[in-house]
Amino acid sequence: MEFQLTTDIFVQQLINALIVGSFYALIALGYSMVYGIIKLLNFAHGDLFMVGAFVGYTVLAELTGTGESLLGMGLAFVIAMIVTGFLGMGIERIAYRPLLKAPRLSILITAVGMSLVLENTIMAAYGAKPYIMPVTLPTTGFSLLGVKITYAQIGIIAVSALLMFALQLFIHRTIYGKAMRAIAIDPTASSLVGINVTKVISLTFFVGSFLAAAAGMMNASYYGSLTFTMGFIFGMKAFTAAVIGGIGSIRGAMLGGLTLGVLETIGTYQFGGEWKDVFAFFILIALLVVKPTGILGQKVTERM
């Protein structure tokens, strides 16, 4: 199969890769943050992406009446992130906190169960049919090397980059971010020096869910539709991105998301959309064979 890539196709595919990679990166950050602190693979995290999209849809449809205004879109965006953030905190408090000292398999099964609870709750509330977002993103833009790039595409990439940059500042410049890094290294010692481990874990779930909701809202607005099952495949892809970058690494999650977005876009262009998911998970398997810890992951020796 001959691979041809002209300049205009390259620019178009690059924009597509950055957009989908941004979605993967924002969700993958939640996986890595939670795993880095309590060593939990929170498989319900992808469904928080879906919940964020439905909360944003509800705000646009019921509260603002229309999604055409910038104010309505911004309001839905903020409310979706905050509501989903608190939902993530509630899940941690009810489902995970009582099991933190239980065998890892128990809490992992609980995470899978919570994923099913979220999916079926949304299905019961909204139905199984796909929903169309009551918002039309602007199609105006500019031409670059023969390719039309819309301001909506630029906005999604810019907002995603801003959120990831803000998270970096939060992790490295604030007292809570330093507490998160300390707990990731040694939760027992952190507790002994006065860090409220429970509070920081809860905050971690809030931040991760907050970012997942942002990705869900932007994804639903960009593609124009949402379903109660959308969180499953995006959650699995984001988990793949987190592993590619190095599970537990914040920068690794960002890099893994963008890397997966680029590779998946190339694979889709070359082999067709029906091979998109196969290509993504093939990349994961190949990387784990070569570098099991991921691109930025490091080997960790567990203390006995």
Side-chain angles (χ1 to χ4, degrees):
M1 181 180 294
E2 185 178 356
F3 184 76
Q4 296 180 346
L5 191 62
T6 60
T7 303
D8 57 338
I9 293 177
F10 172 78
V11 173
Q12 185 63 67
Q13 296 303 322
L14 178 61
I15 294 296
N16 294 337
L18 289 176
I19 290 174
V20 71
S22 296
F23 297 151
Y24 292 155
L26 288 173
I27 307 170
L29 285 168
Y31 278 109
S32 283
M33 291 172 65
V34 170
Y35 182 83
I37 288 196
I38 61 174
K39 300 298 182 288
L40 164 66
L41 296 176
N42 182 18
F43 286 118
H45 188 65
D47 294 289
L48 292 170
F49 161 87
M50 175 268 297
V51 170
F54 272 93
V55 172
Y57 165 84
T58 303
V59 173
L60 288 173
E62 303 295 336
L63 299 184
T64 67
T66 177
E68 299 296 333
S69 69
L70 184 61
L71 178 62
M73 190 66 185
L75 179 64
F77 194 75
V78 172
I79 292 178
M81 291 190 294
I82 293 175
V83 170
T84 309
F86 280 111
L87 176 61
M89 290 178 66
I91 291 173
E92 182 274 330
R93 177 66 182 86
I94 296 171
Y96 299 148
R97 190 180 300 178
L99 297 174
L100 287 180
K101 295 184 179 180
R104 290 299 168 191
L105 182 60
S106 299
I107 195 169
L108 181 63
I109 294 173
T110 301
V112 174
M114 184 53 63
S115 172
L116 296 174
V117 168
L118 291 175
E119 282 190 19
N120 285 277
T121 298
I122 294 298
M123 184 183 67
Y126 290 88
K129 66 178 182 180
Y131 279 81
I132 304 300
M133 283 292 285
V135 58
T136 302
L137 294 181
T139 57
T140 56
F142 58 91
S143 180
L144 177 64
L145 299 176
V147 176
K148 182 179 180 181
I149 301 175
T150 67
Y151 294 124
Q153 291 174 322
I154 298 299
I156 289 174
I157 295 172
V159 170
S160 300
L162 181 62
L163 288 172
M164 287 186 272
F165 178 71
L167 178 64
Q168 280 289 94
L169 291 180
F170 177 79
I171 293 294
H172 293 281
R173 299 290 181 87
T174 68
I175 188 67
Y176 287 109
K178 293 177 181 178
M180 288 180 183
R181 288 186 287 142
I183 294 172
I185 296 172
D186 193 329
T188 303
S190 299
S191 178
L192 292 174
V193 298
I195 296 176
N196 189 330
V197 175
T198 300
K199 182 178 180 180
V200 174
I201 291 174
S202 185
L203 178 62
T204 302
F205 272 84
F206 177 88
V207 174
S209 303
F210 184 94
L211 295 174
M217 183 63 185
M218 289 190 290
N219 177 273
S221 300
Y222 183 69
Y223 292 110
S225 64
L226 63 162
T227 67
F228 77 99
T229 58
M230 65 186 288
F232 174 76
I233 189 62
F234 267 91
M236 293 302 295
K237 294 284 190 67
F239 173 68
T240 300
V243 174
I244 288 174
I247 190 72
S249 168
I250 299 299
R251 293 179 181 176
M254 298 179 191
L255 178 61
L258 296 175
T259 300
L260 181 61
V262 170
L263 294 176
E264 185 179 285
T265 301
I266 293 173
T268 301
Y269 171 73
Q270 180 65 12
F271 302 108
E274 65 272 15
W275 289 92
K276 179 176 68 174
D277 296 340
V278 175
F279 191 75
F281 293 114
F282 173 79
I283 293 169
L284 173 63
I285 295 171
L287 179 70
L288 290 178
V289 170
V290 177
K291 197 174 190 301
T293 58
I295 298 174
L296 298 182
Q298 298 178 351
K299 292 184 178 181
V300 177
T301 302
E302 187 174 352
R303 294 178 182 147
M304 301 299 291

